[in-house]
Amino acid sequence: MNGGSPEKWIHEAEALLEQGQVERAVQFIGDSVEKSDDGDKACETAVALLQQYSLWNESLALLEKAARSGGKNHIIWFLKANALDALNPDPPAAKGSPEERSLRESLQCYQKSLEIKKDFPLTWFHKALVEEKLGLIDEAMRSWKAFIDLNPGPELKPQADYARQRLGRARGSALPPAGPPGTESETWLGRLAHGDAQDARAFIDAAERLKAQGVPLEPRPRGKTSLFSIPLEVILLFLSLPVMVPSLLINFITAKRWGRIDFVLLAVDGFIILLFALRSTVATIIILIALAASALLLILRYQKIPCGIFLGYSNLVAMLLMGGGLVFMTGAHMLIPWTALSELTAAMGSEKKVKADQLITRSMGYDSYVTLENDSLEWEWAIYRLVYKDHYEFTRYNPEMGIVISKADELWERREELAGKIVTLAAVRVSPTVIEGSQLEYSFTDKGTKEKDYEKRYFAAVPEANGRVWVLSKPVTSPLDPPLKEFLAQENYRGLLVISFATADMGRWYSSRYGMNLPYMGVAIIPDKSPAVETKKPQRIETWVPVKGTGKTLWLAYRGLATSGTAPRALSGLYKGSMGPINGISELLPDINYFKGPLQKPLVIMAASSRAAYIKENDLAGEFLRGLNWGALLLALPGALVIVGGLFISARE
C-alpha cells in the first residue's frame, strides 16, 4: 500500500476502477486514505474519484469515517451531503420514508458545512436543490438568495442564472416568508395554524400589499408555463435524435456512471457521427439538421441545465428519451426507403459543370448532378445493360436491332457465338449482282441439325467477307422491280444469323455469275425467321456509351434505347459512384484494363436532359412513396409517445 500524498496512489486506484475491479479499488482507496499524511485532503480526493464512478455508498462510508474523526473540514460535510442527495434523486414518496430521512440528513450535512465556512457558494446552491426536493420552498428561496449574495464567479454562471430564475418565479407567484428562519412559524401555513387573530391580520395585510402591486397570489400550477414550450421542444428533440440517442447510449454503456452529461460531449459525438455520414448526401443532411436542432434545444433549455443530468433533463426523463428515441429511430429507419431517398435528394441537388478527367481523378463527390464540358461520346462502342428483376447483364445486343455488327468479316469470325441470334449488319455494301433462288441449307449452330429453306429469295453476297457472308431478302412474291431495288437500297440488314452450307444448285448459280466456286460454308442473314430460343424481356434497358478519351473508364448511361441522333446534346446526368461492381463489361470488352487495377468498376453518369427529367424518367418520387414500409409505424409511434411523455414529465419536474 502507498501512504503519503494522494498523488502517489490515486492513479493506481483509478486504473483499478477502469479495469472494473471495484471491490479491490475501494479497499485500496480506504487503506491509502488511512495511511495518508493529510487525511482530509486524501479523503476529498478519494471521494471525488469514487463519486466520479457513481460509487455513492462507498464514498459515503469514507465520509462517515472522516466526519467521526473530527469533521472540521467543510468540504467533507459538503461531499457527504452530495452523496446522500445523489442516492435519492427523486422527491420522497411519503413523509417519514427512508428517502425523506436521508434527504433531511443531507440538509443537516449542508448546514454543518456552512457552520464551518458560510461563504462557500456551492453549499448554498445544493442545499437549495434539496430543500426544493423536500418541498421546503421558503427555505430554498433563502438559500438561493444567500448563494446570489455571495456573487459567485463566472465558473458558476449557469448555477447563478438558475438561482435567479428560481427567485424570480417565487417572488411573482407566492407570499414572502412569514418569519425568521429557525422559528416554528417560519411559514405562513405554520404561523396561521398555531397563531392568533394578529397573525391572520398580518397575513391579510401582506396579501393586500401584493395585490396592490399586481402580483398574483395564487401559486402558479406546476408545469403550466412549460407546457407552451413542449411543441417546439418536441420538434427539436425529434430532429436531434440521430446525435442525441447515440450520445446517451455511449455515456450509459461505456462511462460506468450516469452522471452529468455535458453538451460538449454531444457535440463531439455528433461530429464523429457526421464524419461517418459524409459518404451519403441524405445522412449528411440529417446529421447537420440534428446538430443544429440540438444547439437550439440547448439555448431553449439553457437555464434548466443545472437541474438535470442532460440538457436539464432528469435521470428519469433521460432514460425515457434514450429508450423512446432508440425505438423511434429504429422504426423510422425501417419506414424510409433510404436508397430511393438518397437518389431523389441527390438528383435535386445543385448542378456542377466538370471535365471528364476531373471525375476520373475522383476530385468530384459521388451522387452529384453534373454536366460534362467539351466532351464527346464513342457511339461505336455503345453497349446495353439489360436489368431484370433478379439480375442484370451487359450485351452488344440491341433489343430493337439485335446484335449490331458493322464489319461483315466479324459475322464470319463469331459465327458459332452468333448463330441463332438476331443480328443487324449495319452500314454495309452488298453485291449489286444478286441470285434469285431457293434451297438454302443451314443450321443454327455448326453442330445442329441441318435444315433447308425452299422459299424463293434474293441472295446478295457481301464482298468484304470474301463471299462467306450472304444477306437474304424476304420471300419474293412479286416481280423483281421494285422489291429488288428496296432490298439493295437498305443500309442495315437485320435478321436471324444461320450457318449456311453450299448446295449443287447454289454452286452452279454462284460460279456462273462470279466465275469461282461457292465456299462450302458461310453465314447468312434470314430477315423473317425467329430465334431458336425466345429471350426474357428485361424490366429496364440502358444504353451505355463511353466518353471519348477516357479509355472506357467513364460512361454515360441513357435510360432506354439511345443513338447519337436521339440522345440529348448536353452530356448531363447524375454521377453515380455506388452501383457496386459491374459484372460483364470486362467479358464483353476484353481490351479494357481497369478491371485489372485498383478500380474494379466503371465510372457512370446516368444521363438525363435535366434534374426534373431525371426524377420523372426514373420515377424517383413514386419509387420513394412505394418503398415506404408503413408497418414500421408500429415501432415509431410508441417510441414517439414515450418521448413526448418524457417531455411532459420534464415540464412538471
Side-chain angles (χ1 to χ4, degrees):
M1 303 283 181
N2 292 316
S5 61
E7 289 78 7
K8 296 181 179 179
W9 49 265
I10 197 68
H11 293 300
E12 187 173 347
E14 189 171 9
L16 290 172
L17 288 172
E18 287 291 338
Q19 295 168 11
Q21 301 182 42
V22 176
E23 292 184 6
R24 185 179 170 190
V26 170
Q27 181 65 38
F28 177 79
I29 289 171
D31 293 343
S32 299
V33 169
E34 287 184 2
K35 294 187 175 186
S36 177
D37 299 334
D38 186 349
D40 285 349
K41 180 65 175 177
C43 184
E44 285 181 37
T45 308
V47 168
L49 178 61
L50 291 171
Q51 291 186 358
Q52 180 183 347
Y53 286 85
S54 297
L55 299 173
W56 303 106
N57 284 312
E58 291 78 357
S59 69
L60 200 55
L62 274 180
L63 291 164
E64 292 278 6
K65 190 180 295 185
R68 286 196 300 269
S69 66
K72 296 301 181 182
N73 187 333
H74 71 282
I75 294 294
I76 297 296
W77 291 108
F78 173 74
L79 291 174
K80 181 180 178 182
N82 282 355
L84 290 167
D85 179 27
L87 289 170
N88 300 276
D90 299 315
K95 192 172 181 63
S97 64
E99 293 84 3
E100 192 206 24
R101 292 197 299 271
S102 182
L103 288 171
R104 292 278 182 181
E105 184 183 353
S106 173
L107 283 183
Q108 293 173 6
C109 293
Y110 282 129
Q111 190 60 42
K112 289 182 180 179
S113 176
L114 290 172
E115 289 171 3
I116 299 171
K117 188 174 178 60
K118 197 172 184 177
D119 60 349
F120 188 58
L122 281 177
T123 305
W124 288 108
F125 181 84
H126 287 277
K127 178 173 175 284
L129 291 176
V130 175
E131 286 166 341
E132 283 199 343
K133 196 182 293 185
L134 287 168
L136 305 174
I137 305 302
D138 291 337
E139 293 88 332
M141 294 308 114
R142 281 189 285 271
S143 297
W144 292 129
K145 186 175 184 307
F147 172 70
I148 295 298
D149 290 344
L150 289 173
N151 295 318
E155 70 278 1
L156 296 179
K157 185 179 182 304
Q159 289 87 339
D161 291 341
Y162 181 74
R164 292 189 184 95
Q165 176 192 8
R166 300 303 294 164
L167 277 172
R169 289 183 179 179
R171 289 168 180 163
S173 62
L175 290 171
T183 65
E184 292 184 357
S185 57
E186 61 182 1
T187 65
W188 278 112
L189 183 62
R191 183 169 173 179
L192 291 173
H194 302 94
D196 52 21
Q198 186 176 357
D199 292 323
R201 281 194 298 273
F203 175 80
I204 293 172
D205 290 342
E208 288 294 336
R209 285 195 303 273
L210 289 174
K211 185 176 180 180
Q213 297 171 12
V215 177
L217 299 183
E218 68 278 2
R220 178 180 61 84
R222 293 187 68 189
K224 183 175 180 181
T225 302
S226 299
L227 290 177
F228 289 107
S229 66
I230 284 183
L232 177 59
E233 219 171 299
V234 167
I235 294 171
L236 291 176
L237 189 65
F238 277 109
L239 293 176
S240 304
L241 287 179
V243 295
M244 180 177 290
V245 170
S247 187
L248 285 170
L249 283 171
I250 291 168
N251 279 275
F252 184 70
I253 294 173
T254 65
K256 302 184 180 67
R257 60 190 175 91
W258 191 244
R260 186 179 299 276
I261 303 172
D262 196 276
F263 182 79
V264 174
L265 293 177
L266 179 69
V268 171
D269 294 337
F271 178 73
I272 294 172
I273 295 171
L274 178 63
L275 292 179
F276 285 103
L278 288 177
R279 289 183 61 86
S280 168
T281 304
V282 175
T284 302
I285 293 172
I286 290 174
I287 300 303
L288 287 175
I289 291 175
L291 286 170
S294 63
L296 290 175
L297 194 61
L298 171 69
I299 296 172
L300 182 68
R301 296 188 57 83
Y302 185 74
Q303 292 185 338
K304 301 177 183 178
I305 285 178
C307 303
I309 66 165
F310 183 66
L311 293 178
Y313 295 120
S314 68
N315 210 326
L316 171 62
V317 175
M319 292 295 289
L320 291 175
L321 295 183
M322 183 177 69
L326 187 60
V327 173
F328 175 81
M329 287 175 60
T330 303
H333 186 272
M334 294 170 59
L335 170 69
I336 298 173
W338 293 101
T339 302
L341 178 62
S342 178
E343 191 159 0
L344 180 60
T345 54
M348 295 170 65
S350 60
E351 184 174 346
K352 302 172 183 177
K353 292 186 177 182
V354 297
K355 293 184 178 295
D357 56 357
Q358 287 180 268
L359 298 181
I360 296 174
T361 56
R362 298 196 176 198
S363 59
M364 265 291 301
Y366 292 142
D367 294 332
S368 302
Y369 196 87
V370 300
T371 296
L372 295 182
E373 295 181 328
N374 303 322
D375 287 303
S376 57
L377 303 179
E378 299 181 89
W379 282 98
E380 65 273 18
W381 287 103
I383 58 177
Y384 305 96
R385 185 173 183 248
L386 310 181
V387 181
Y388 299 91
K389 186 175 182 180
D390 54 352
H391 72 287
Y392 66 84
E393 61 185 49
F394 282 93
T395 179
R396 300 295 295 273
Y397 177 83
N398 184 321
E400 286 188 350
M401 300 179 67
I403 299 173
V404 181
I405 303 293
S406 58
K407 296 180 179 179
D409 55 354
E410 188 177 347
L411 287 179
W412 167 252
E413 293 169 0
R414 298 174 60 189
R415 61 187 181 280
E416 294 185 7
E417 171 195 348
L418 301 177
K421 296 182 180 179
I422 297 295
V423 298
T424 294
L425 189 57
V428 298
R429 179 178 58 85
V430 299
S431 171
T433 304
V434 299
I435 299 171
E436 181 186 353
S438 58
Q439 278 194 339
L440 173 66
E441 185 177 0
Y442 65 86
S443 69
F444 289 121
T445 66
D446 58 342
K447 296 180 181 178
T449 304
K450 294 180 181 179
E451 300 181 17
K452 286 188 178 182
D453 180 10
Y454 291 100
E455 296 188 85
K456 185 178 291 186
R457 301 173 183 274
Y458 299 129
F459 292 70
V462 181
E464 296 174 5
N466 298 321
R468 290 190 178 276
V469 176
W470 288 75
V471 177
L472 279 61
S473 71
K474 292 183 178 180
V476 178
T477 57
S478 58
L480 292 181
D481 205 22
L484 178 58
K485 286 185 178 180
E486 293 177 356
F487 173 57
L488 294 174
Q490 293 182 59
E491 293 183 358
N492 301 325
Y493 294 92
R494 179 179 182 273
L496 181 72
L497 185 76
V498 298
I499 298 176
S500 61
F501 301 92
T503 63
D505 291 340
M506 284 188 66
R508 284 192 293 271
W509 295 332
Y510 190 83
S511 60
S512 65
R513 285 165 172 75
Y514 293 100
M516 64 178 68
N517 293 329
L518 176 70
Y520 171 71
M521 183 171 65
V523 291
I525 298 175
I526 308 177
D528 60 336
K529 294 289 184 180
S530 299
V533 180
E534 288 293 332
T535 56
K536 183 171 60 173
K537 284 191 175 182
Q539 290 183 321
R540 187 173 76 250
I541 300 172
E542 297 168 356
T543 305
W544 285 40
V545 191
V547 177
K548 189 170 291 185
T550 63
K552 303 184 183 63
T553 296
L554 180 63
W555 296 72
L556 221 67
Y558 295 93
R559 189 177 180 89
L561 300 172
T563 64
S564 57
T566 62
R569 289 189 176 182
L571 306 185
S572 303
L574 194 71
Y575 178 48
K576 299 288 293 181
S578 57
M579 297 186 68
I582 304 299
N583 302 317
I585 292 187
S586 59
E587 291 79 10
L588 192 65
L589 304 172
D591 61 318
I592 62 177
N593 57 19
Y594 56 82
F595 283 93
K596 303 178 180 67
L599 183 63
Q600 294 298 311
K601 58 185 178 181
L603 305 178
V604 184
I605 299 175
M606 303 300 296
S609 56
S610 67
R611 283 171 292 171
Y614 181 83
I615 293 172
K616 184 178 180 181
E617 289 170 6
N618 292 275
D619 192 23
L620 297 185
E623 188 175 344
F624 171 77
L625 293 175
R626 288 190 299 271
L628 290 171
N629 178 18
W630 297 108
L633 291 177
L634 295 176
L635 269 179
L637 290 179
L641 290 176
V642 171
I643 293 171
V644 174
L647 291 182
F648 272 93
I649 294 173
S650 171
R652 297 183 177 276
E653 285 181 337

